Amino acid sequence: MNKPILTIVVPCYNEEAVLKETISQLIMVVNDLIEEALVSKNSKLLFVDDGSKDQTWNLIEAECDKNRMVTGLKLAGNVGHQNALIAGLETANNYSDCVISIDADLQDDIHVIKTFLEKYWEGSDIVYGVRESRETDTFFKRNTALFFYRFMERIGMKLIPNHADFRLMSKRALEELLKYKETNLFLRGLVPLVGFSSTKVYYDRKERLAGESKYPLKKMLAFAFDGMTSFSVAPIRFVTFLGFLSVVISALVGGYAIVQELLGHTESGWTSLVISIWFVGGLQLMGIGIIGEYIGKIYREVKQRPRYAIEVDRFSTLVKEKQEELVFK
């Protein structure tokens, strides 16, 4: 069996604080894999700049000029983590025998990449990187994540608990994934639908070396909600929020009305009328908002807009140059 060409895809957004260290460590990992004959010497690192506003792309270009193992893809604007990741996967697909995706913050343990490749050699088409524990998370984040995975399982969605986007995919598995053309991307839900043989590799997640998390609480909650509905539309989501707010207000007003009833300061029937109007109105707004989420999903899909636009593609340029060298030889 020929040694597979590996491409490690790394989506980046405003990662200048950590990028140099990330590139350095990943280069060492790939060099070790080459020395151990687990991958081809033509293996690459592909950094996808998702419309960063700092020096991220300049750092990527500088490394591309210094080291032919490092390549870059600059998107024309910020399209979000999932779209940036799929852009990198699509670009790497034709050149690679297997692809590994990993975030740029180095919180995922890069040393288990070797284990990924060993599982690939054993015949696994998909290797999931799964967190051993969530002890480094806050109490709130740990328990909300547990609730999320249990809820998704209850509604019949196949997810790998404690798995994000740190995974290996073989060429045939990746080609099947790329057949899913929906605009509303939730890769953690799509990859398990691909099928093929898969396995898990457990690891301990580290603290971020530098920079700030690109997934604060607000984004994590939004991402989880998108996973449940496959997508969301902000204005309609705001209507949903109004529905929840109405229910809360109705409870408060209902409590006040009950107190007034006990004190004898109300007219007969006023209490039940106020509570029912506020509560039912809140439920109606919630229902409209949830239905709107799915209508928004359909609306986004039928427009069939491209998921991203590429401004600079250093990866394909390098591959073309390599192919031309082989022809001339």
Side-chain angles (χ1 to χ4, degrees), residues 67-110:
N67 192 327
R68 290 177 67 85
M69 182 186 292
V70 180
T71 62
L73 190 70
K74 179 176 174 58
L75 302 184
N78 178 248
V79 294
H81 179 272
Q82 297 289 278
N83 286 319
L85 179 53
I86 203 71
L89 294 176
E90 287 181 334
T91 301
N93 178 46
N94 293 329
Y95 174 77
S96 313
D97 296 308
C98 56
V99 174
I100 291 176
S101 56
I102 186 173
D103 289 339
D105 55 19
L106 288 183
Q107 287 188 273
D108 296 318
D109 188 0
I110 61 175

Side-chain angles (χ1 to χ4, degrees), residues 188-205:
R188 300 179 196 185
L190 287 178
V191 174
L193 296 178
V194 170
F196 296 119
S197 58
S198 64
T199 188
K200 302 173 184 176
V201 173
Y202 293 89
Y203 68 97
D204 291 320
R205 191 168 170 84

Side-chain angles (χ1 to χ4, degrees), residues 2-194:
N2 294 329
K3 287 177 283 189
I5 297 175
L6 167 69
T7 300
I8 299 180
V9 177
V10 188
C12 307
Y13 178 67
N14 294 342
E15 297 288 0
E16 65 174 349
V18 73
L19 194 57
K20 285 186 177 180
E21 184 63 23
T22 300
I23 293 173
S24 175
Q25 291 197 28
L26 288 176
I27 287 174
M28 287 191 292
V29 167
V30 175
N31 282 331
D32 288 343
L33 294 173
I34 293 172
E35 290 180 6
E36 296 182 39
L38 288 173
V39 300
S40 166
K41 63 180 180 180
N42 294 319
S43 297
K44 304 293 181 187
L45 301 175
L46 173 56
F47 292 88
V48 183
D49 178 30
D50 183 22
S52 297
K53 298 177 182 178
D54 60 5
Q55 296 299 309
T56 295
W57 177 246
N58 292 334
L59 292 173
I60 293 172
E61 278 208 308
E63 290 296 332
C64 289
D65 294 333
K66 290 192 297 184
N67 192 327
R68 290 177 67 85
M69 182 186 292
V70 180
T71 62
L73 190 70
K74 179 176 174 58
L75 302 184
N78 178 248
V79 294
H81 179 272
Q82 297 289 278
N83 286 319
L85 179 53
I86 203 71
L89 294 176
E90 287 181 334
T91 301
N93 178 46
N94 293 329
Y95 174 77
S96 313
D97 296 308
C98 56
V99 174
I100 291 176
S101 56
I102 186 173
D103 289 339
D105 55 19
L106 288 183
Q107 287 188 273
D108 296 318
D109 188 0
I110 61 175
H111 297 98
V112 301
I113 289 178
K114 177 182 176 182
T115 311
F116 280 15
L117 267 300
E118 290 172 347
K119 296 295 183 182
Y120 171 81
W121 277 93
E122 292 171 6
S124 295
D125 286 284
I126 303 174
V127 183
Y128 298 102
V130 179
R131 296 177 63 172
E132 187 73 54
S133 68
R134 305 189 72 99
E135 296 302 322
T136 57
D137 289 345
T138 62
F139 176 83
F140 175 79
K141 185 175 180 180
R142 183 166 57 251
N143 284 278
T144 51
L146 180 63
F147 169 79
F148 172 72
Y149 286 117
R150 286 181 176 175
F151 179 79
M152 298 301 277
E153 183 180 1
R154 285 288 182 90
I155 64 175
M157 188 170 184
K158 295 181 179 179
L159 283 183
I160 307 300
N162 297 322
H163 164 71
D165 289 302
F166 184 30
R167 69 178 74 89
L168 176 146
M169 299 188 73
S170 68
K171 186 177 182 64
R172 69 171 182 168
L174 179 56
E175 287 179 343
E176 288 300 316
L177 175 66
L178 296 180
K179 290 179 181 178
Y180 291 82
K181 298 299 183 181
E182 59 253 49
T183 303
N184 308 295
L185 276 179
F186 186 66
L187 292 176
R188 300 179 196 185
L190 287 178
V191 174
L193 296 178
V194 170

